[in-house]
C-alpha cells in the first residue's frame, strides 16, 4: 500500500484522539515510575533507556532517533500503519519520561519509592503495571497508527508468514532487551532489571491484548 496523508484522518477522529493522546502521555508517566522502582520495564523502554545512557542522551532524544530509524523501515514496507498515534508514541513518551524523572525527586515521589519497604515497592509496581497495560490497550484500540517499534515485528511477520506472529514478537522483544543489555554493558551500568524486562517481554503482549478486547467496544 502507498502512504497517504488521508490515512491520518480516521473515522470518529476527535473521539479517538481524545482517547489516544492521554493514553500516550500516561504510558510515559507509568514507564517513568517503573524506572524508579527498578524492577524492569517494557522491552522497548529497557532498550531505549540503556542506549540513552550509553550515548549520554535523554530518553526523549534517544527514542526519537531509534524510532525514527524504525519509522523509515515502516514507511518503506508498511506505510498503511502510520498515523497520528505513530508520531505521538515516537515523539511524546520519551520526553514525558524525562520530565517525570526530573519531577519525581523534586516532589519526593522518587524517595518514597526508593526508600520504601518491599511491600510499598511491590504495591507501586503492581498498580503501575496494571495501569500501563490498560492505557497501552486504549492507545492500540484507538487505531490511529502503530508505534514504529510495534510496526516492525508486524512487517517482519508479513515477510516470513511461515512463522507465527507471537513467536516473531517475542523474539523481537527479547532482541530489544539484548540490545539494551549490550548498550548498558558498554557504559558499565545496566539500567533496570534484566530479569523483569525479559518477563515483560513474555507477558505484556498477551496482557495488553486481553485488556484490549475488553476495552474495544468502548472505543
Amino acid at each position: 500500500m502507498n502512504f497517504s496523508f488521508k490515512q491520518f484522518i480516521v473515522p470518529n477522529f476527535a473521539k479517538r484522539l481524545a482517547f489516544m493522546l492521554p493514553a500516550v502521555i500516561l504510558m510515559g508517566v507509568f514507564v517513568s515510575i517503573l524506572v524508579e522502582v527498578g524492577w524492569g520495564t517494557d522491552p522497548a523502554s529497557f532498550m531505549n533507556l540503556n542506549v540513552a545512557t550509553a550515548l549520554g542522551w535523554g530518553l526523549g532524544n534517544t527514542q526519537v532517533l531509534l524510532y525514527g530509524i524504525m519509522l523509515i523501515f515502516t514507511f518503506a514496507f508498511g506505510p498503511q500503519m502510520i498515523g497520528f498515534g505513530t508520531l505521538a508514541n515516537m515523539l511524546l513518551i520519551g520526553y514525558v519520561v524525562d520530565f517525570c524523572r526530573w519531577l519525581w525527586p523534586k516532589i519526593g515521589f522518587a524517595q518514597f519509592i526508593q526508600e520504601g519497604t518491599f511491600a510499598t515497592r511491590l504495591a507501586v509496581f503492581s498498580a503501575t503495571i496494571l495501569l500501563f497495560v490498560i492505557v497501552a490497550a486504549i492507545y492500540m484500540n484507538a487505531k490511529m497508527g502503530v508505534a514504529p517499534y510495534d510496526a516492525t515485528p508486524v512487517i517482519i511477520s508479513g515477510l516470513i508468514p511461515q512463522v507465527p506472529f507471537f513467536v516473531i514478537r517475542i523474539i523481537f522483544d527479547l532482541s530489544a532487551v539484548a540490545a539494551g543489555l549490550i548498550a548498558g554493558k558498554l557504559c558499565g551500568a545496566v539500567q533496570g532489571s534484566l530479569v523483569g524486562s525479559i518477563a515483560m517481554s513474555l507477558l505484556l503482549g498477551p496482557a495488553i491484548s486481553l485488556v484490549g478486547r475488553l476495552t474495544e467496544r468502548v472505543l
Side-chain angles (χ1 to χ4, degrees):
M1 295 180 64
N2 295 323
F3 174 80
S4 170
F5 283 106
K6 293 181 180 179
Q7 68 196 51
F8 279 73
I9 309 302
V10 296
N12 299 315
F13 177 83
K15 178 182 178 181
R16 292 171 184 263
L17 188 67
F19 278 101
M20 184 273 291
L21 272 180
V24 168
I25 293 170
L26 288 172
M27 285 167 67
V29 173
F30 296 141
V31 168
S32 75
I33 296 174
L34 292 175
V35 173
E36 295 296 338
V37 175
W39 288 358
T41 63
D42 63 284
S45 298
F46 181 83
M47 175 182 69
N48 294 338
L49 282 166
N50 282 284
V51 172
T53 301
L55 294 175
W57 292 7
L59 180 62
N61 291 339
T62 303
Q63 183 158 314
V64 169
L65 171 65
L66 296 180
Y67 283 14
I69 295 171
M70 295 180 191
L71 182 63
I72 295 172
F73 181 73
T74 304
F75 188 82
F77 297 102
Q80 72 278 8
M81 291 187 282
I82 298 174
F84 274 115
T86 306
L87 302 180
N89 187 294
M90 173 180 167
L91 299 175
L92 290 179
I93 290 181
Y95 291 113
V96 170
V97 174
D98 285 339
F99 173 76
C100 288
R101 295 193 70 193
W102 168 84
L103 177 65
W104 297 149
K106 294 186 178 299
I107 63 175
F109 185 57
Q111 295 86 335
F112 170 76
I113 294 174
Q114 294 163 8
E115 298 172 6
T117 64
F118 175 82
T120 298
R121 292 163 70 91
L122 179 61
V124 172
F125 180 78
S126 301
T128 303
I129 286 291
L130 175 61
L131 293 170
F132 178 85
V133 167
I134 292 172
V135 296
I138 292 172
Y139 162 75
M140 293 175 65
N141 276 328
K143 292 182 171 63
M144 297 193 73
V146 180
Y149 179 89
D150 296 314
T152 301
V154 174
I155 294 170
I156 295 172
S157 179
L159 297 174
I160 46 175
Q162 303 87 349
V163 182
F165 172 72
F166 81 92
V167 174
I168 291 175
R169 180 64 198 234
I170 289 174
I171 293 173
F172 184 76
D173 283 341
L174 292 176
S175 298
V177 173
L181 178 63
I182 293 170
K185 291 292 186 182
L186 288 176
C187 65
V190 177
Q191 301 295 308
S193 167
L194 176 62
V195 175
S197 296
I198 291 175
M200 290 193 201
S201 300
L202 303 175
L203 299 175
L204 269 184
I208 291 171
S209 297
L210 174 62
V211 174
R213 287 194 292 271
L214 299 176
T215 60
E216 190 170 9
R217 289 188 178 182
V218 177
L219 294 171

